[in-house]
Amino acid sequence: MFEKNSSKNSIDNGLFSGSPPYPLTLEVEELISPLKNSRRATKFRKHPSVSLPPRPLNKFLLFRRDFHAKMIRQGMKMPYAKVSSLISQEWNKQPANVLRFFEILENLAKDKHNEMYPDYRYSPKKISAKL
């Protein structure tokens, strides 16, 4: 799957010997893979010459994706805004070692994203001044 010797982008780099500090609901490969059904990914697949690929997932979005999967598996149903609020609160409660764990997952997700979209470069659009 991934090289275990890469100290920067590895879950097995000695920081988390034994079990990870946060029990994942999704498999790591599924979690770090770029979304295939997002609006931007779909648009890019249909028109790669005129549209941009999706951005890689950051550590919070990885946490959100896994936490939401956990909520679904537990049968929790609530409005989307409430889900987002709850996930945000949970994120802010996480200890430093969990945040570091998701930083490592973020690096793995970026590596995976680079494999799928090798020409991707982040280029934010400038917001024009309001009149």
Side-chain angles (χ1 to χ4, degrees):
M1 180 169 78
F2 290 101
E3 292 179 50
K4 291 190 177 188
N5 294 337
S6 171
S7 62
K8 180 182 175 192
N9 296 347
S10 175
I11 293 174
D12 252 354
N13 65 1
L15 287 174
F16 308 114
S17 56
S19 61
Y22 180 85
L24 294 173
T25 303
L26 301 172
E27 295 291 326
V28 171
E29 188 68 27
E30 180 182 1
L31 181 63
I32 65 171
S33 296
L35 298 172
K36 293 179 178 83
N37 296 328
S38 69
R39 284 181 285 182
R40 201 163 185 187
T42 303
K43 187 176 178 182
F44 181 75
R45 269 197 316 277
K46 289 180 182 177
H47 310 286
S49 61
V50 294
S51 61
L52 297 172
R55 291 175 64 181
L57 298 172
N58 65 28
K59 59 186 174 182
F60 174 74
L61 292 177
L62 292 166
F63 177 80
R64 188 192 194 297
R65 189 176 188 185
D66 190 73
F67 196 88
H68 191 243
K70 184 182 299 185
M71 291 175 68
I72 290 170
R73 286 195 184 160
Q74 293 175 350
M76 297 175 70
K77 294 183 179 182
M78 57 182 64
Y80 194 77
K82 184 141 176 111
V83 168
S84 292
S85 177
L86 176 65
I87 292 171
S88 177
Q89 290 171 8
E90 287 299 318
W91 174 252
N92 291 325
K93 291 179 187 176
Q94 298 303 313
N97 64 337
V98 170
L99 300 180
R100 176 68 183 127
F101 176 67
F102 278 95
E103 282 179 24
I104 292 169
L105 290 175
E106 176 182 18
N107 289 331
L108 291 171
K110 285 180 183 176
D111 291 346
K112 182 79 170 175
H113 187 272
N114 287 338
E115 288 174 19
M116 293 180 72
Y117 307 106
D119 297 328
Y120 173 80
R121 297 291 175 262
Y122 177 65
S123 54
K125 295 181 181 179
K126 294 182 179 178
I127 301 172
S128 58
K130 294 182 181 180
L131 298 175

